[in-house]
Amino acid sequence: MRWIMLLIIVVPAAEIAILLSVGNLIGVIPTFLLILATGVLGAYLAKSKGLQAIKNVQNQMGIQQPPSEIILDGVCILIGGVLLLTPGFLTDITGFLLLIPQTRNRFKPLIYKWFRKRMSKGNMIIYR
């Protein structure tokens, strides 16, 4: 819980500082257009990658295999899409990294470890 509170305070402050710096460097209108472009591109990528992940889950279920790895992809895509819709450069970079399969694979072990830790403490329940 402490980490979440820290992120709620630190990330927006860092985003504001970066937005102000970029705005001073390239101007207000180009900065605004860049933020809009990353939001639109992020929404498109999240939608297409999300639909692809859903199809992969359906295919795995069709051949009666548990889709554990694909579900982690879906979680990464969901988080990446939300981050891309959030204005700011740090969140956009993180969101794009979660949508690109090569970089997403680096995040999946961390997310898996986080899920396992929460489940072992009894803070998260998975229903079958």
Side-chain angles (χ1 to χ4, degrees):
M1 189 65 170
R2 288 177 274 170
W3 289 103
I4 292 173
M5 290 303 292
L6 183 66
L7 286 175
I8 288 172
I9 295 168
V10 171
V11 170
E15 291 286 13
I16 290 170
I18 293 170
L19 286 171
L20 288 173
S21 297
V22 171
N24 285 335
L25 186 65
I26 65 172
V28 174
I29 293 174
T31 303
F32 179 75
L33 293 174
L34 189 58
I35 291 169
L36 282 178
T38 58
V40 170
L41 180 62
Y44 170 76
L45 285 174
K47 179 182 175 185
S48 65
K49 297 286 185 183
L51 291 174
Q52 183 181 7
I54 290 171
K55 287 179 186 177
N56 290 341
V57 167
Q58 290 172 339
N59 289 340
Q60 289 285 21
M61 299 297 272
I63 58 175
Q64 298 182 358
Q65 289 184 346
S68 59
E69 185 76 18
I70 296 170
I71 290 176
L72 277 177
D73 281 333
V75 169
C76 288
I77 291 166
L78 174 66
I79 295 169
V82 169
L83 289 174
L84 281 167
L85 291 174
T86 305
F89 293 113
L90 293 176
T91 54
D92 286 347
I93 290 168
T94 308
F96 280 122
L97 291 174
L98 286 168
L99 289 180
I100 299 168
Q102 294 80 5
T103 55
R104 180 186 326 141
N105 290 333
R106 303 215 184 242
F107 285 95
K108 287 195 293 190
L110 299 172
I111 293 171
Y112 181 76
K113 183 191 277 187
W114 181 82
F115 274 119
R116 296 294 292 170
K117 184 178 176 183
R118 303 289 292 185
M119 288 172 58
S120 69
K121 288 183 178 180
N123 295 338
M124 184 180 293
I125 300 171
I126 305 295
Y127 294 100
R128 292 182 187 203

